[in-house]
Amino acid sequence: PASSQTSDVPLMNFRLVPEDDAFLGKRFLEPKGGYSIRPPADWVSSKPKIATAAEKKMKHRAYFRDPVTGDFLDIGMMASPPGEMTYDGLKGLAKVYVSGIRKTRGIKVLGSDVFRFHGISAIQIMTRKSDVVFLQLLLFPPGASMVQLTFGMAESRYAAQARAIEAVIASFRFDKA
């Protein structure tokens, strides 16, 4: 059950993802991190080509990529702010995060939002660098480390991949209390 501190966060209702969903591959379980997710069908687990300083600090990392296009999904965990995240707290954190991104040369912020799903508070940020779009989700499971999901792909493929991305996000589970 959601705490009263997070109940004011708008709820995003992802529809249930059937186990035989054609957009998704097999469930990946990260036992040390306590999360699982179903990456897009036909994407392979691999090592990231490059890592930013922040990404190097992530723990329990998983990386999937489309072997044909190079599109990717990068997942990892980082320390969370203390306590439950309220709607105002999430909006404030999103504003600070987006402000930092705007200072990065060559990256354009396309939008951001906060929501809840599966009892998890989330910040969503979409950016573009050159012809690549990045959809980043910062997930704040109650009493656990923050989980960062980042999808990256050519802007020309994003609209066609939106349903698969939604299915992947809906497949995320955090099982560690």
Side-chain angles (χ1 to χ4, degrees):
S3 75
S4 61
Q5 291 180 317
T6 59
S7 62
D8 57 349
V9 177
L11 179 64
M12 178 174 266
N13 290 313
F14 286 101
R15 62 181 176 70
L16 293 176
V17 178
E19 284 303 311
D20 62 349
D21 190 310
F23 286 108
L24 299 176
K26 291 184 180 181
R27 183 163 292 280
F28 168 81
L29 172 65
E30 171 38 72
K32 291 181 182 176
Y35 68 84
S36 67
I37 195 163
R38 294 183 61 201
D42 301 324
W43 286 27
V44 296
S45 177
S46 66
K47 294 188 181 206
K49 291 182 180 178
I50 56 172
T52 65
E55 289 168 338
K56 289 178 182 176
K57 294 178 184 177
M58 292 194 316
K59 298 179 188 233
H60 314 303
R61 206 161 166 206
Y63 187 86
F64 302 91
R65 68 176 180 76
D66 181 318
V68 175
T69 65
D71 297 346
F72 70 88
L73 166 61
D74 191 1
I75 309 165
M77 299 178 80
M78 300 176 130
S80 288
E84 294 286 333
M85 294 297 291
T86 64
Y87 180 71
D88 289 339
L90 283 171
K91 290 295 269 186
L93 185 58
K95 185 177 180 180
V96 168
Y97 197 82
V98 167
S99 174
I101 292 171
R102 285 196 169 114
K103 293 176 185 173
T104 305
R105 187 176 180 164
I107 297 179
K108 181 178 180 174
V109 175
L110 302 176
S112 65
D113 198 8
V114 299
F115 61 93
R116 266 176 62 87
F117 76 108
H118 301 313
I120 299 170
S121 298
I123 297 172
Q124 172 182 300
I125 301 165
M126 181 169 277
T127 58
R128 179 178 57 229
K129 182 175 183 177
S130 300
D131 68 339
V132 178
V133 293
F134 300 92
L135 174 63
Q136 188 172 55
L137 297 173
L138 307 178
L139 307 177
F140 300 91
S145 295
M146 179 192 81
V147 178
Q148 176 178 305
L149 280 79
T150 304
F151 291 88
M153 65 190 55
E155 187 172 14
S156 62
R157 284 192 300 280
Y158 182 79
Q161 293 296 320
R163 167 61 187 89
I165 292 169
E166 176 187 75
V168 171
I169 294 166
S171 79
F172 179 84
R173 298 289 180 268
F174 194 80
D175 303 315
K176 199 171 196 175

